[in-house]
Amino acid sequence: MSSERVIFTMSGKGGVGKTGVMVALAEWFTANGITAKLLDLDTENKARGSLKHFFNGSVTKVNIHTPAGLDAFVDHLDSGAEIILADMGAGAGQIAADWFEAMHEDVAALGVSFTALGVVTPDPASVESVLAWASRLQDRVEYVIVENATSPQSDFTYWTATEQAKKFREAFSPTILQMEFRLAELENPVRQHGIRLGDVAERKAKVEELKRASLVMRAQSYRRRLFAQFDQVKEAFLP
């Protein structure tokens, strides 16, 4: 197998920004000349908000409910990509944990590494979801946790101060990144139309409202700072 790392999102909590992080990560790989295979493992099969929505439907859909879907995932590891980016949908916790259990040992034996990407917000449910995943995954993966600010003054006290979260950080030493709050004038149309931040930053967005100079500059700023964080912890993302 030529692919050496699988990066997958964890969290059964919807609306925390997992797909947004994965889209940005895919853009970061492209900017660095690294081939990444994108897989949409969202069990809800929704049209909007999924990884496919942001890549013009070109992302491969894999149904991890079935043995055939599990086999398809493993086959994609042999596709020549250095990286597999697998976006799990909300509510896929048990299914995805079973998926991981089913394929981890054989795939890891081939030298493939795993990074579990979790997104936490000020909502305690987002933290609980990540911790529940970690209880199943244990030390078989590297952890990257993104603190996603959902308001200008986001309070991450539940994530930083609760005993269970502290024990998780002590046990697994996750890489922690911050994703700053984004203005609704930019974030809402980007999500609605499935437009990547890079397209706005590079003035390629075809949606009129996203052509405003101020939003282009904000997109450039958001992307630059997020890419800088990816650069600092690239060991967690590279083969």
Side-chain angles (χ1 to χ4, degrees):
M1 286 190 180
S2 54
S3 177
E4 295 185 38
R5 184 170 295 273
V6 174
I7 303 170
F8 63 94
T9 51
M10 59 176 181
S11 176
K13 178 76 174 66
V16 297
K18 297 188 300 295
T19 300
V21 174
M22 290 294 265
V23 171
L25 195 53
E27 291 191 287
W28 178 78
F29 280 121
T30 299
N32 284 279
I34 298 168
T35 303
K37 177 70 175 179
L38 307 182
L39 300 180
D40 187 347
L41 277 61
D42 190 330
T43 57
E44 294 180 355
N45 200 31
K46 57 183 181 292
R48 292 186 182 275
S50 66
L51 203 56
K52 287 186 71 170
H53 184 46
F54 289 91
F55 290 91
N56 301 317
S58 63
V59 176
T60 302
K61 190 81 175 177
V62 176
N63 183 0
I64 58 172
H65 283 277
T66 67
L70 184 63
D71 290 346
F73 178 87
V74 175
D75 287 341
H76 284 300
L77 281 168
D78 202 26
S79 66
E82 300 169 76
I83 302 290
I84 295 282
L85 288 177
D87 190 27
M88 303 284 181
Q94 185 62 45
I95 296 164
D98 291 344
W99 159 81
F100 184 81
E101 296 284 351
M103 62 87 192
H104 172 265
E105 185 176 353
D106 291 336
V107 174
L110 296 169
V112 177
S113 303
F114 292 85
T115 295
L117 192 152
V119 180
V120 297
T121 69
D123 182 354
S126 68
V127 179
E128 295 290 351
S129 181
V130 165
L131 297 178
W133 268 74
S135 71
R136 289 287 300 268
L137 300 173
Q138 291 296 311
D139 60 357
R140 293 176 291 179
V141 303
E142 291 185 52
Y143 291 95
V144 174
I145 304 297
V146 178
E147 297 174 351
N148 182 18
T150 53
S151 65
Q153 287 83 36
S154 288
D155 182 357
F156 288 95
T157 299
Y158 195 85
W159 160 240
T160 58
T162 55
E163 196 61 32
Q164 192 179 5
K166 286 181 181 178
K167 288 180 178 178
F168 164 71
R169 292 195 297 275
E170 290 169 0
F172 302 117
S173 302
T175 296
I176 299 176
L177 307 177
Q178 286 80 38
M179 192 158 73
E180 63 189 297
F181 171 69
R182 299 180 182 182
L183 286 180
E185 293 95 315
L186 174 62
E187 190 72 355
N188 290 345
V190 161
R191 287 182 183 176
Q192 179 185 352
H193 297 285
I195 295 172
R196 300 187 293 274
L197 202 60
D199 289 336
V200 181
E202 295 170 10
R203 301 179 184 272
K204 295 178 181 177
K206 296 180 180 179
V207 177
E208 202 61 38
E209 60 192 298
L210 293 174
K211 295 179 181 179
R212 284 168 42 198
S214 58
L215 292 185
V216 170
M217 287 183 65
R218 282 199 175 271
Q220 292 169 343
S221 175
Y222 292 148
R223 186 176 65 161
R224 183 176 64 252
R225 288 196 284 270
L226 197 51
F227 277 19
Q229 292 198 63
F230 292 158
D231 288 339
Q232 290 172 12
V233 300
K234 58 186 177 183
E235 293 80 9
F237 297 128
L238 297 178

